[in-house]
Amino acid sequence: MKIACVQMDVAFGEPEQNFAKAEEFIKEAAKYKADTIVLPEMWNTGYALDQLGRLADGNGERTKMLLKRLAKNLKVNIIGGSVSTKKEAGFYNTMFVADRNGDIAAEYDKAHLFKLMDEHHFMNAGSKANLFKLDDIVCGGLICYDLRFPEWARLHTLNGAKIMFIVAEWPEKRVDHWQLLLQARAIENQCYVVAVNRVGSDPNNEFNGHSMVIAPWGERLLSGESREGIFYAELDLDEVDKVRKTIPVFQDRRTDLY
């Protein structure tokens, strides 16, 4: 599977500008024969949380229409990062996934809200895991702060996920945590981790990308760039099974203890 990580700058509170940019990036990645294209967290609005009443995507309809159209026309899978959405119960930080057929394969509301960026004051937390299939491969999807909860990632790999997609607006000042935690999640779960972070700034934070793709042994297939652009990596899914047979941590878990 060829992965395209779209490391974009997000215009704060400007969905029109962001939708146009996301579409251009997706089309460019498709030209380079990407199988799966990944966007960052909250790419439609950024963290303009006090403006969600007028900015958030109603039931995610605009986002779903864009992803479905591009996925079908370009014959690609799209991990739609996440967007701010307005649903009946309130506002959410939502990931949509579209497959090559133009169908929505997953819809996930961020489970762990990040208090340091005031998400809990404006948004509701999700209550479901995020497992889906792309090209017959079981995948999982997490959003930013979810990364700090290893048991949440493990829940997905215990249910068959071979790739964990993690999208973020992870601030530059904690980029060391970002890199170390991503590598740990890949090694402990013996899976590929595909992590896409934004670049640029908003009124409160600086973001410097460092999107990463990490193999099941922990080696970095993609790492470290801090500029806007698209970055590519190839996944060999057979490696997941090889690693899990070599060190059978899933079989050796003490389910009688934990």
Side-chain angles (χ1 to χ4, degrees):
M1 179 184 284
K2 184 175 182 179
I3 300 290
C5 298
V6 177
Q7 188 168 276
M8 64 182 274
D9 189 357
V10 177
F12 187 76
E14 297 291 343
E16 295 298 329
Q17 184 176 335
N18 293 322
F19 269 91
K21 178 183 281 192
E23 179 164 356
E24 288 306 307
F25 272 131
I26 291 168
K27 288 178 177 177
E28 180 181 347
K31 288 180 182 178
Y32 284 85
K33 306 300 182 184
D35 295 298
T36 301
I37 302 166
V38 190
L39 299 174
E41 181 188 17
M42 292 279 279
W43 60 263
N44 64 332
T45 60
Y47 269 79
L49 299 181
D50 60 353
Q51 302 177 52
L52 291 180
R54 67 180 184 87
L55 296 178
D57 189 359
N59 292 315
E61 293 301 327
R62 182 176 184 181
T63 304
K64 288 186 284 188
M65 287 179 62
L66 176 76
L67 299 181
K68 290 167 66 175
R69 172 173 58 83
L70 292 175
K72 184 175 182 178
N73 291 345
L74 300 172
K75 301 300 180 187
V76 295
N77 304 308
I78 306 174
I79 308 294
S82 76
V83 294
S84 59
T85 58
K86 183 179 181 180
K87 303 182 182 181
E88 185 176 353
F91 300 108
Y92 292 84
N93 185 339
T94 307
M95 175 188 289
F96 296 104
V97 177
D99 64 23
R100 295 180 190 273
N101 298 318
D103 296 323
I104 295 298
E107 177 177 339
Y108 166 69
D109 296 321
K110 187 176 183 179
H112 301 92
L113 299 181
F114 192 46
K115 293 180 179 179
L116 290 184
M117 291 175 72
D118 290 333
E119 273 189 305
H120 63 303
H121 289 312
F122 297 93
M123 293 180 146
N124 296 332
S127 57
K128 295 180 180 178
N130 188 23
L131 281 163
F132 51 92
K133 281 189 176 183
L134 294 177
D135 300 337
D136 292 323
I137 300 162
V138 180
C139 306
L142 307 181
I143 301 174
C144 204
Y145 190 40
D146 287 336
L147 173 63
R148 290 187 180 270
F149 298 87
E151 59 272 44
W152 192 229
R154 177 55 60 89
L155 173 70
H156 292 76
T157 52
L158 284 174
N159 284 283
K162 293 186 175 183
I163 309 172
M164 290 298 304
F165 293 98
I166 301 171
V167 303
E169 287 206 21
W170 195 282
E172 181 180 10
K173 58 189 174 185
R174 289 185 291 276
V175 70
D176 289 346
H177 291 190
W178 166 253
Q179 294 172 319
L180 289 168
L181 290 169
L182 290 170
Q183 213 160 0
R185 295 296 89 84
I187 294 168
E188 70 197 8
N189 288 294
Q190 299 177 323
C191 68
Y192 281 99
V193 167
V194 176
V196 177
N197 189 32
R198 67 161 291 185
V199 293
S201 62
D202 67 16
N204 299 305
N205 294 284
E206 297 286 334
F207 306 94
N208 69 343
H210 285 79
S211 297
M212 299 177 69
V213 176
I214 305 167
W217 277 124
E219 63 269 33
R220 300 178 183 183
L221 306 182
L222 171 68
S223 177
E225 301 231 23
S226 58
R227 62 180 174 84
E228 186 175 54
I230 306 174
F231 304 93
Y232 299 90
E234 294 271 0
L235 310 188
D236 178 0
L237 276 301
D238 290 338
E239 283 298 306
V240 176
D241 294 329
K242 291 177 184 177
V243 171
R244 290 179 179 180
K245 288 177 181 177
T246 302
I247 304 179
V249 296
F250 288 91
Q251 296 177 36
D252 293 341
R253 290 175 65 248
R254 287 291 306 275
T255 55
D256 59 319
L257 296 179
Y258 58 87

